[in-house]
Amino acid sequence: MKSLKLTEYELIYLIAQILWTLQDDEDYSEQTRLVAEEVSEQIASELHNYYLYQIGLTNYAHRLVNLTKLIESSKVVLNAKKDVFILARICDLFECDLTKSELFDWKE
């Protein structure tokens, strides 16, 4: 996928799409589902306008398919990482405590 050479706009689209896609098995309110659907439609429309008017691509279907594949691949990787952490907890292989990490500046 390196050959895809994502633009900043496409990367933002990918992130927004991942953030606003609700899982079917989760229990969300109807209002939440409607907002997520509206936002998804808006970001898709923005990507269409970007391709058509800023880049001048009239046929971007292939590029959109590749973006969709990236989203699905990221979900597969995320699920694999979750499985590794679950197995690590079960087998007591390591402890991952982010509160004691240098990433956080906790005042004690």
Side-chain angles (χ1 to χ4, degrees):
M1 287 291 170
K2 286 184 180 180
S3 63
L4 192 55
K5 295 181 181 173
L6 291 176
T7 65
E8 187 175 313
Y9 211 91
E10 290 170 322
L11 186 60
I12 291 169
Y13 167 79
L14 288 173
I15 293 168
Q17 195 65 14
I18 290 169
L19 286 173
W20 286 99
T21 300
L22 302 179
Q23 303 302 319
D24 292 332
D25 60 342
E26 295 291 327
D27 188 28
Y28 296 106
S29 70
E30 187 62 30
Q31 183 180 6
T32 302
R33 291 188 184 281
L34 289 173
V35 169
E37 187 176 320
E38 286 176 19
V39 171
S40 292
E41 287 177 15
Q42 182 178 357
I43 59 178
S45 179
E46 291 290 333
L47 186 65
H48 167 75
N49 291 335
Y50 170 73
Y51 282 144
L52 205 57
Y53 302 116
Q54 290 186 345
I55 295 183
L57 283 176
T58 55
N59 185 3
Y60 53 84
H62 179 68
R63 195 153 179 87
L64 194 56
V65 166
N66 285 334
L67 290 177
T68 305
K69 286 180 183 178
L70 278 176
I71 291 171
E72 291 307 312
S73 297
S74 70
K75 289 179 183 178
V76 170
V77 170
L78 179 62
N79 287 333
K81 284 185 177 184
K82 284 180 183 177
D83 291 344
V84 167
F85 275 98
I86 289 170
L87 285 172
R89 275 192 186 158
I90 291 170
C91 299
D92 200 23
L93 294 176
F94 62 88
E95 182 180 331
C96 184
D97 187 3
L98 294 178
T99 59
K100 295 178 184 174
S101 169
E102 61 189 28
L103 297 174
F104 294 97
D105 184 23
W106 296 100
K107 305 283 190 246
E108 293 186 27

